[in-house]
Amino acid sequence: TNAGTYESSFAQSYSIKNAEKNVDVTSYYQSVTLTPGTLKITKAGGNEVVPVKDPEDDKEEQDAESKNITVVYDGASHTVSATATQAGSTIYYSTADPEGEDFDDSSWTETAPSRTDVGTTTFWIKATNPNYEDVVSESSYTLEVTKREITVTVANAEDVVYDGESHTGVTEYSFDNVVEGQVATITYTAATGTEVDTYTGSYGEDLKVVIPGAEGEEGTDVTGNYNLTTKTPGTLKITKAGGNEVVPV
């Protein structure tokens, strides 16, 4: 049934008869060589690698033309999953080009590639099957993790009536869309002023996002996985005071 070479067998006892007279003539033979026949079933073609998808994203769909899997950084590890059209196939993955001059067949592994941080992993897929020829994907696939977009905002301070003193606006900032459990920081100089005007705070260029470490340990810097798209500074408005009077001359 399965691909392979099968050999027939003879019974332990045998006899040789004269076909015309139907007479047993086995005793007339000193030795008899028994040569069994063989049946060879070769592997069939027709097995194909089925396009892959991110098994962590049930909503993601890919058709036969799709070779790329793209996910936005979320702090989680993303992997791929592939199957073959013929049941009983084993799937292998390689991040080395099978057509490359120095390709080593040991590069194939049943462990699917995965990514957590921003970047792209290129890989190939192979399917093996006891009854079908090995098949390797015609071209490579990619697993890409793209940067997560975040924003930072400082609230506006309440208006202040001019009193000749220096006033400072809101100093606390808040980030939006940072992965839960990660901490983002940035230098911020609050709006400051004395005279009647509207003052605006300013940000530095030192965004940093970390995964906090255990107590006493340094956290893991994951800033490279983020794109700070909008920085909204807070304002401080000092309005004119009343109480000015005309003095008679």
Side-chain angles (χ1 to χ4, degrees):
T1 302
N2 296 325
T5 300
Y6 301 87
E7 188 174 276
S8 60
S9 61
F10 293 95
Q12 291 184 346
S13 62
Y14 59 89
S15 63
I16 302 174
K17 290 186 177 182
N18 184 307
E20 293 182 357
K21 300 180 179 181
N22 195 27
V23 176
D24 190 324
V25 294
T26 307
S27 61
Y28 292 95
Y29 291 85
Q30 186 174 7
S31 64
V32 176
T33 300
L34 304 178
T35 305
T38 60
L39 169 65
K40 185 176 182 180
I41 300 177
T42 59
K43 290 186 176 184
N47 200 9
E48 296 180 7
V49 172
V50 177
V52 297
K53 74 183 189 75
D54 178 8
E56 300 297 326
D57 187 354
D58 294 333
K59 296 180 180 179
E60 184 174 8
E61 296 181 359
Q62 291 183 292
D63 58 32
E65 300 301 319
S66 178
K67 295 291 184 181
N68 302 319
I69 300 169
T70 303
V71 293
V72 176
Y73 173 76
D74 60 3
S77 175
H78 292 268
T79 186
V80 297
S81 176
T83 58
T85 54
Q86 300 299 333
S89 296
T90 301
I91 301 298
Y92 295 90
Y93 305 87
S94 174
T95 53
D97 186 352
E99 299 298 324
E101 183 177 346
D102 299 325
F103 180 76
D104 187 340
D105 203 55
S106 64
S107 298
W108 292 112
T109 173
E110 292 185 59
T111 302
S114 62
R115 282 202 76 89
T116 299
D117 294 327
V118 167
T120 301
T121 298
T122 301
F123 61 97
W124 287 258
I125 307 171
K126 179 175 75 170
T128 64
N129 189 295
N131 296 312
Y132 293 86
E133 296 290 347
D134 292 356
V135 58
V136 177
S137 55
E138 293 182 358
S139 59
S140 62
Y141 292 81
T142 60
L143 170 60
E144 180 182 15
V145 177
T146 60
K147 289 191 175 186
R148 188 180 189 88
E149 295 186 346
I150 59 175
T151 61
V152 62
T153 304
V154 173
N156 295 330
E158 294 183 3
D159 290 357
V160 176
V161 177
Y162 173 77
D163 60 3
E165 300 291 334
S166 177
H167 294 274
T168 300
V170 177
T171 59
E172 294 181 357
Y173 53 77
S174 61
F175 282 91
D176 183 58
N177 204 35
V178 174
V179 172
E180 184 177 355
Q182 298 184 6
V183 178
T185 58
I186 193 171
T187 298
Y188 178 71
T189 302
T192 302
T194 302
E195 305 296 326
V196 172
D197 203 344
T198 298
Y199 301 88
T200 303
S202 61
Y203 291 93
E205 299 297 329
D206 56 348
L207 170 70
K208 187 173 184 179
V209 186
V210 299
I211 301 173
E215 185 176 352
E217 295 182 2
E218 187 176 354
T220 303
D221 191 334
V222 292
T223 310
N225 295 307
Y226 287 89
N227 180 24
L228 180 54
T229 59
T230 305
K231 296 186 290 186
T232 304
T235 60
L236 168 67
K237 185 177 183 181
I238 299 178
T239 61
K240 290 184 177 182
N244 198 11
E245 297 179 3
V246 175
V247 178
V249 294

